[in-house]
Amino acid sequence: MDRYDDWTLLQMGSLPRNAHIHGLSSVEDLLERDRQREQDGFPRKIRIGRLVKPSRGGKERVILVPTTVEEKFIHDTRPFQEEGGAGGGSGDGQEGEVIGEEPIHGSEGSGQGGAGQGEGAEHEIEASAYDLGRILSEQFQLPNLQSKGTKRTLRRIAYELTDRHQGSGQILDKKATLRRLVATNIGLGRVRQDAEIDPTELLMGPDDKVYRILSLEPSLEAQALVFFVRDYSGSMSGRPTEVVVGQHVLIYSWLVYQYQRRVETRFILHDTEAREVPDFYTYYNSTIAGGTRVASAYRLVNEIVEHDNLARDYNIYVFHGTDGDDWDSDGSQTLPELDKMLTYANRVGVTVAHGHGGNGYRSRVEEYMGRAKLAERFPDRFRLDTIEEGAGEERLVEGIRQLLS
Amino acid sequence: MELIDQRTKAIMEGCKERAWEAGLRFAPETLEYIVTNRDLLELTPKHMIPTLYDYWVHDVEVHREKGRYELYPNNPYETVINTRPAISFYNDNNPDWLNVMIFYHVLAHIDFFQNNLHFQNTWGEDFAGKALSDKRAVAMLRSEKGRWVDYVIEFSRGIDNLVGYYKELGGNGAEDRSKPTRLDFYFDHFLQEVQPVPVHEYLREIERYNACLRQHGELADSFFFAEVLTRHPELDSLYEKHLQHHGAQPADLLDYLQRHSPFLQREENRWMKTVMEIVRTTSLFFQPQIRTKIMNEGWASYWHEKLFLADERISGHEVGFARIHALVTSMPKVGVNPYALGMRLFHYVEELADKGKLSLEYEQIASAHERQRYDARTGRGRETLLDVRRHYNDFLFLNKFIDQDFVDRHKLFVVGRRLNPRKGVWELFVQSRRAEDYKKMLLDSLYHPPVVEVDESLMDDGCLYLRHRFEGKPLVREFIGNTMLGISFLWGGPVKLETTEWIQDRSGSPSPYAMPSEQGREPVPRRVLYTMEDRRLSRTLL
């Protein structure tokens, strides 16, 4: 009798053991399958999402998980406007009474790879960002950035245990010691070619011990400094911010991977005034209602670079996210600052996120930057990308490809 | 995954006796398994069916669940799957008294599965067993066809929410349609479509038949057709063919594609139909569950409370019970808890029925005071509850029984959300306490797949024409492309989808900087036509 027919298995009262486990494929397999889809002529489906658990004290845990959406014909129940009904509730309170508040960015809740999430726990976001960067590089096959301008690499001094020293040192190099020991004893005639070696018979000289010692190692390594600049004026609230910050998270992750974690970041927010904030969390969560002066931010970046003399030692990247609005409508203040920035930056990437897709509509920033022919004058250094505010993660990655290529 | 031990099983059997006495009705055989957290994580994407076919999307979800579990390590107390025998899963570290509560909850679920008429198409089969054989069929096909099996699964699942659940529930109308007789066929189809004849000839044939009827009585048919067959010897075979075609109509798009897709009829593609049918029947199996979520959970919560408190075996654990029960069935300040809402509504219905308030007489009372005091002492509460659990689904349940009294009693309201730009936060506020609004909010949140029909009259060019019936909500636009890509693959040609979208007229807007609200234009619904051809999507306004 076939022991594995359905009848027997079910009668034995146990479902086939681990029937549901054997098929589980690893994330790498799944990504491989996703690559295969493209060759078969179907769009990719797997995205890398982030689960975030917020907690008090600003320490959030971030976990990277693959996600996918099964597309179907389903009713679109998203409200037209952001305002509207949010579900049911129970308890006291008059109609119209406010019963709670939620932060503008928190509404995505945990789960799903939504827009970028804040971080505070440095190491954990670092680790996750590195993974995300790795997966981004592999999955989306972003172009690897050329290490431009090697003259700007930094002579780093590192101490490494690579040099050998006889007689004293930090760590005994056993292999080298043995080799030397045998050589000495061959010289002494205590070891014969065909006879077996008896280690107890070997004599050891004081110089036979080989140690590794700490030594100065100069190394040439590229370092990256990334300025994330974001417009946080009133007009940015809601989707444009999510788009910009979501993209900046991805860029950050990718650079962390690309530069093997040797990335330094500076975060700058601006409305009419620009200010530097200490961490990504503040960068992500700040909102304010104010006007917009792009020039202020660029000026601040230039000042920082100049003051700290950063251009000599770093590959500098500036990523700026805005909705394209600027009080400086003809760019007369912004463009000189931008020109100056482009003299030292490896790449300036401007993302314009606005809700007026198509129709040939161009925001002020796009307009004056277009007029200044920046893309022609600095073909290697300047990129401008316009994203509709409803863009999904795929579009964001496409945008990164634009900004980094 | 292992069966619960004999001692725990004995507790379960005790619960069964008491539940049976209280009026619940279920098959006596059940299987209970202890599962680990890891098992649960891996079962969740498969809807807890261990034998469901393998599919990579499930794997992606398992990875996601594992991530979620790292952050939020919690698991359900129990899960029941609707098979014969009914199978339920438990965490292994529950104390006995908690198990008693959970067992009652589970038994009420089983009672619901096995009595609610929306589940009647699942009564006859052991789904776990069927799924196992499906899983093997898929595995076997995968070893032959490789990843193409997964594409077919993917594309079929893309339309598996459109399954004709209600059509299948009504027997797909098969019993309503009597078989057309040869006479019907001759006059209704043959003379009108197959071999069209001018009206006067048609009338002459009718006249001839009537003459036969007068002359030969019951033998009229054979005399009449003897003559017809000399002229049209092919009539009989055409009639046979017509009968086959006339059988049950395709219940849904998946069914339609299996029958009529030229691509799937090809010898080398036949295997795809097997996969599609597996996806289709699997989806059909889960349909009643999605449509009775609030009732099912409410029913189980109602009974675990009732039966637990009456069970003498666990006296002394009332406080522990109260704590867990409250956790499960509390009404959140913001949000809807199906357990809590369903349970309260069942309590409410029982009370209404006990007092005879579900009657015309009560309905006709206008005075609020009298309505409140009305009590006919019918004592028919329990009986009514059992009826409701047999015949209702979520829509009917909520639509019929949620009224202002219920909303007032439990202080329910619709939550609104508005932006407070000054503070930079969303404010949640009490938007409405009217029963109609609350009911509408609930009904809008219920599962309701769109109706998408095939229009054969517009398919002369070999293109599959789908029409979405607009019910006030458009389709999710981002999903249309890939879904149609899948349908187009299964159809083997171009696919068109006619649907409605809200279109905002921007053409006359004074300035691109104007706020949307300043434009003062409401979006208007417009019919649009999507076409998927050669894996490219285009969209035109109709």
Side-chain angles (χ1 to χ4, degrees):
Chain A
M1 185 181 78
D2 180 7
R3 284 180 51 225
Y4 295 102
D5 63 304
D6 297 352
W7 181 246
T8 324
L9 286 167
L10 292 173
Q11 289 304 300
M12 275 166 11
S14 74
L15 297 161
R17 278 197 81 79
N18 297 343
H20 52 289
I21 291 172
H22 79 93
L24 186 63
S25 15
S26 66
V27 178
E28 279 69 29
D29 291 348
L30 291 168
L31 291 177
E32 178 59 38
R33 172 191 290 280
D34 219 32
R35 257 193 290 280
Q36 179 67 47
R37 292 176 65 88
E38 211 154 54
Q39 287 165 25
D40 291 337
F42 302 115
R44 291 184 170 208
K45 295 270 282 186
I46 297 181
R47 304 183 313 155
I48 300 299
R50 294 171 293 285
L51 290 172
V52 178
K53 184 181 192 179
S55 56
R56 303 217 178 265
K59 291 208 166 195
E60 301 193 341
R61 293 193 61 198
V62 182
I63 293 216
L64 294 171
V65 287
T67 65
T68 187
V69 178
E70 289 197 70
E71 285 127 329
K72 300 180 190 213
F73 292 144
I74 51 170
H75 285 136
D76 193 346
T77 52
R78 292 169 292 191
F80 279 128
Q81 276 117 19
E82 300 267 339
E83 310 200 353
S90 66
D92 297 321
Q94 293 291 312
E95 282 186 17
E97 194 171 304
V98 175
I99 51 171
E101 292 174 347
E102 57 185 27
I104 287 178
H105 301 300
S107 56
E108 293 247 334
S110 63
Q112 309 309 321
Q117 310 284 355
E119 120 274 6
E122 287 288 325
H123 297 297
E124 251 166 311
I125 187 77
E126 266 326 86
S128 303
Y130 187 81
D131 282 349
L132 178 57
R134 181 174 62 83
I135 291 166
L136 277 177
S137 289
E138 283 173 12
Q139 185 192 1
F140 302 108
Q141 284 157 2
L142 285 167
N144 279 13
L145 216 55
Q146 307 295 314
S147 57
K148 294 193 187 76
T150 41
K151 66 176 189 289
R152 280 200 206 87
T153 54
L154 174 71
R155 279 179 74 87
R156 300 188 96 195
I157 305 295
Y159 289 91
E160 286 176 12
L161 279 166
T162 46
D163 284 13
R164 294 191 181 133
H165 190 256
Q166 291 168 3
S168 66
Q170 277 79 38
I171 290 177
L172 182 69
D173 187 335
K174 291 175 187 158
K175 192 173 172 187
T177 305
L178 265 178
R179 196 179 288 133
R180 223 187 134 70
L181 189 62
V182 172
T184 310
N185 283 281
I186 289 171
L188 291 171
R190 300 183 68 88
V191 174
R192 276 176 225 295
Q193 209 172 4
D194 41 356
E196 213 163 286
I197 300 175
D198 180 4
T200 56
E201 292 295 310
L202 297 181
L203 286 179
M204 183 181 278
D207 284 350
D208 287 348
K209 286 187 181 170
V210 180
Y211 290 88
R212 286 178 182 261
I213 60 166
L214 277 178
S215 57
L216 287 175
E217 292 290 330
S219 59
L220 294 171
E221 282 166 346
Q223 284 206 117
L225 176 65
V226 185
F227 284 95
F228 286 110
V229 183
R230 173 163 89 78
D231 177 0
Y232 73 144
S233 64
S235 57
M236 286 285 289
S237 77
R239 280 301 289 169
T241 300
E242 276 173 30
V243 167
V244 165
V245 178
Q247 197 178 37
H248 283 179
V249 168
L250 293 173
I251 296 176
Y252 177 64
S253 306
W254 185 72
L255 286 171
V256 165
Y257 171 71
Q258 193 65 31
Y259 281 91
Q260 304 289 316
R261 298 170 202 254
R262 280 190 303 281
V263 181
E264 288 183 31
T265 42
R266 307 289 282 261
F267 301 101
I268 291 173
L269 292 167
H270 75 87
D271 51 343
T272 53
E273 297 290 315
R275 70 184 176 107
E276 191 177 356
V277 293
D279 55 30
F280 196 87
Y281 186 77
T282 327
Y283 178 69
Y284 171 52
N285 278 308
S286 306
T287 45
I288 199 167
T292 315
R293 250 189 243 285
V294 175
S296 64
Y298 289 176
R299 191 174 303 126
L300 182 64
V301 172
N302 287 337
E303 276 167 19
I304 292 174
V305 170
E306 211 167 306
H307 185 260
D308 299 352
N309 202 5
L310 297 169
R312 190 176 58 101
D313 296 339
Y314 290 91
N315 283 314
I316 295 179
Y317 301 92
V318 183
F319 294 102
H320 179 212
T322 172
D323 61 352
D325 201 10
D326 193 356
W327 285 5
D328 175 23
S329 55
D330 57 356
S332 58
Q333 294 168 32
T334 313
L335 289 172
E337 297 291 340
L338 192 55
D339 270 3
K340 191 169 166 193
M341 188 187 289
L342 283 164
T343 58
Y344 59 79
N346 290 49
R347 175 61 51 88
V348 176
V350 179
T351 307
V352 180
H354 60 59
H356 302 273
N359 298 353
Y361 164 74
R362 281 156 67 101
S363 64
R364 292 185 197 180
V365 169
E366 283 168 277
E367 217 151 78
Y368 66 63
M369 286 188 176
R371 233 182 7 248
K373 299 211 178 345
L374 289 165
E376 284 98 79
R377 281 163 52 213
F378 302 97
D380 293 344
R381 301 197 165 174
F382 182 78
R383 293 285 185 279
L384 179 76
D385 184 32
T386 309
I387 293 183
E388 268 192 66
E389 65 179 26
E393 186 144 338
E394 255 170 59
R395 178 64 187 85
L396 295 186
V397 171
E398 180 57 40
I400 296 176
R401 214 173 285 174
Q402 291 246 4
L403 296 180
L404 294 174
S405 62
Chain B
M1 200 188 293
E2 56 191 25
L3 285 169
I4 54 172
D5 59 38
Q6 287 299 300
R7 199 180 58 83
T8 322
K9 183 75 177 170
I11 297 176
M12 177 56 149
E13 293 303 318
C15 290
K16 280 184 194 168
E17 282 166 23
R18 289 168 176 80
W20 188 268
E21 264 167 40
L24 296 185
R25 289 294 172 267
F26 44 82
E29 305 84 17
T30 59
L31 287 171
E32 292 80 29
Y33 289 93
I34 299 286
V35 289
T36 61
N37 289 336
R38 186 192 156 92
D39 288 334
L40 273 177
L41 292 183
E42 284 172 354
L43 283 174
T44 313
K46 296 193 169 192
H47 306 285
M48 308 308 291
I49 310 285
T51 50
L52 204 69
Y53 58 84
D54 291 315
Y55 178 45
W56 62 268
V57 170
H58 298 146
D59 294 351
V60 170
E61 282 165 24
V62 169
H63 286 291
R64 200 189 61 215
E65 286 297 308
K66 282 182 176 162
R68 182 195 61 80
Y69 190 80
E70 264 186 62
L71 294 182
Y72 302 96
N74 68 333
N75 269 324
Y77 289 111
E78 46 71 29
T79 310
V80 192
I81 57 177
N82 171 27
T83 60
R84 295 284 172 134
I87 295 176
S88 45
F89 300 113
Y90 306 86
N91 263 330
D92 59 352
N93 41 13
N94 298 332
D96 282 349
W97 66 266
L98 184 57
N99 270 332
V100 171
M101 170 178 166
I102 296 171
F103 286 154
Y104 282 133
H105 192 90
V106 164
L107 287 173
H109 274 315
I110 296 175
D111 167 80
F112 195 88
F113 286 145
Q114 299 187 354
N115 288 286
N116 186 286
L117 288 175
H118 292 87
F119 287 87
Q120 63 178 331
N121 282 352
T122 69
W123 290 346
E125 72 188 20
D126 161 23
F127 186 74
K130 178 181 172 309
L132 181 61
S133 92
D134 286 350
K135 178 192 172 101
R136 288 176 184 162
V138 168
M140 191 198 73
L141 282 171
R142 198 175 271 134
S143 68
E144 284 174 24
K145 315 288 180 188
R147 62 183 185 278
W148 293 96
V149 176
D150 294 281
Y151 288 128
V152 176
I153 295 179
E154 174 186 331
F155 300 146
S156 306
R157 283 170 68 106
I159 45 177
D160 77 346
N161 59 330
L162 307 178
V163 287
Y165 164 67
Y166 282 112
K167 269 193 186 167
E168 295 279 350
L169 197 60
N172 200 5
E175 64 269 26
D176 302 342
R177 272 193 304 272
S178 51
K179 249 162 88 175
T181 61
R182 188 162 63 159
L183 191 65
D184 292 335
F185 173 69
Y186 181 64
F187 280 107
D188 292 351
H189 291 273
F190 189 78
L191 288 186
Q192 294 184 33
E193 288 157 18
V194 187
Q195 289 258 308
V197 292
V199 177
H200 64 273
E201 274 184 44
Y202 187 82
L203 291 175
R204 202 184 314 139
E205 279 297 291
I206 294 181
E207 189 47 47
R208 199 170 67 77
Y209 178 74
N210 287 338
C212 276
L213 204 59
R214 279 193 297 276
Q215 203 177 342
H216 305 289
E218 288 194 352
L219 293 172
D221 266 27
S222 44
F223 277 96
F224 178 74
F225 278 108
E227 205 272 331
V228 173
L229 282 170
T230 58
R231 276 180 292 141
H232 302 292
E234 74 279 19
L235 180 74
D236 273 350
S237 63
L238 284 173
Y239 173 56
E240 290 290 318
K241 220 173 178 177
H242 178 71
L243 278 186
Q244 283 171 12
H245 187 72
H246 182 83
Q249 291 298 303
D252 49 55
L253 186 53
L254 274 169
D255 199 8
Y256 182 87
L257 288 170
Q258 286 180 53
R259 289 175 197 218
H260 301 301
S261 156
F263 176 72
L264 296 173
Q265 307 313 319
R266 282 191 227 147
E267 184 59 39
E268 72 269 24
N269 295 332
R270 289 260 174 86
W271 61 271
M272 296 184 185
K273 293 194 206 173
T274 312
V275 178
M276 291 171 71
E277 192 57 17
I278 288 173
V279 171
R280 193 176 91 90
T281 50
T282 306
S283 169
L284 277 172
F285 173 79
F286 289 114
Q287 293 297 314
Q289 238 150 303
I290 313 172
R291 288 177 161 88
T292 54
K293 174 94 180 142
I294 295 177
M295 279 189 85
N296 209 336
E297 294 301 355
W299 184 247
S301 302
Y302 172 92
W303 283 103
H304 82 228
E305 182 188 29
K306 191 139 267 182
L307 292 171
F308 183 91
L309 292 179
D311 194 324
E312 75 288 352
R313 292 177 299 174
I314 44 74
S315 57
H317 289 286
E318 285 80 0
V319 174
F321 166 81
R323 211 178 137 263
I324 299 223
H325 181 64
L327 272 177
V328 175
T329 63
S330 61
M331 298 291 270
K333 184 86 181 174
V334 173
V336 175
N337 173 354
Y339 293 75
L341 183 73
M343 186 187 80
R344 280 169 179 72
L345 203 49
F346 271 117
H347 277 297
Y348 182 62
V349 172
E350 186 178 23
E351 186 190 311
L352 289 186
D354 267 337
K355 294 185 174 171
K357 287 187 177 182
L358 295 172
S359 63
L360 181 63
E361 198 185 330
Y362 173 75
E363 291 293 325
Q364 285 169 338
I365 300 174
S367 147
H369 186 60
E370 260 182 62
R371 279 174 81 94
Q372 204 175 3
R373 283 193 0 189
Y374 186 90
D375 189 352
R377 293 181 206 284
T378 58
R380 298 187 52 181
R382 184 62 54 86
E383 188 187 330
T384 309
L385 279 193
L386 292 173
D387 260 4
V388 168
R389 82 95 153 78
R390 186 162 184 80
H391 296 285
Y392 282 58
N393 62 9
D394 278 350
F395 173 80
L396 296 170
F397 187 53
L398 299 174
N399 194 42
K400 182 157 169 70
F401 296 118
I402 288 201
D403 55 19
Q404 197 63 52
D405 287 342
F406 179 75
V407 170
D408 288 347
R409 177 181 303 181
H410 296 289
K411 300 181 180 169
L412 303 175
F413 55 81
V414 179
V415 179
R417 209 166 84 113
R418 66 184 168 215
L419 185 67
N420 182 338
R422 201 169 39 79
K423 290 170 82 177
V425 290
W426 289 110
E427 279 179 352
L428 301 176
F429 64 101
V430 181
Q431 194 171 52
S432 168
R433 288 187 177 279
R434 288 174 57 217
E436 297 92 272
D437 295 337
Y438 191 76
K439 188 192 284 184
K440 180 171 182 307
M441 181 275 300
L442 283 178
L443 294 183
D444 279 348
S445 72
L446 291 182
Y447 179 74
H448 182 68
V451 181
V452 178
E453 293 153 327
V454 180
D455 188 340
E456 283 189 309
S457 67
L458 292 167
M459 286 173 34
D460 301 333
D461 48 356
C463 182
L464 180 68
Y465 198 96
L466 303 174
R467 180 176 284 123
H468 166 223
R469 198 189 295 160
F470 186 61
E471 295 167 279
K473 284 176 197 149
L475 299 177
V476 173
R477 223 166 128 179
E478 298 91 306
F479 291 177
I480 288 178
N482 276 354
T483 312
M484 286 182 72
L485 182 71
I487 302 173
S488 161
F489 177 86
L490 296 173
W491 176 251
V495 175
K496 288 183 175 153
L497 171 74
E498 186 189 319
T499 180
T500 297
E501 281 177 3
W502 297 102
I503 295 190
Q504 182 127 35
D505 186 9
R506 278 186 196 273
S507 54
S509 78
S511 144
Y513 299 106
M515 296 289 287
S517 55
E518 288 169 20
Q519 296 174 9
R521 282 169 204 273
E522 284 293 304
V524 287
R526 287 281 302 270
R527 283 308 261 184
V528 293
L529 183 70
Y530 282 96
T531 308
M532 173 60 72
E533 194 162 7
D534 297 330
R535 301 192 177 171
R536 207 159 296 161
L537 186 70
S538 58
R539 171 174 176 270
T540 45
L541 285 174
L542 287 180

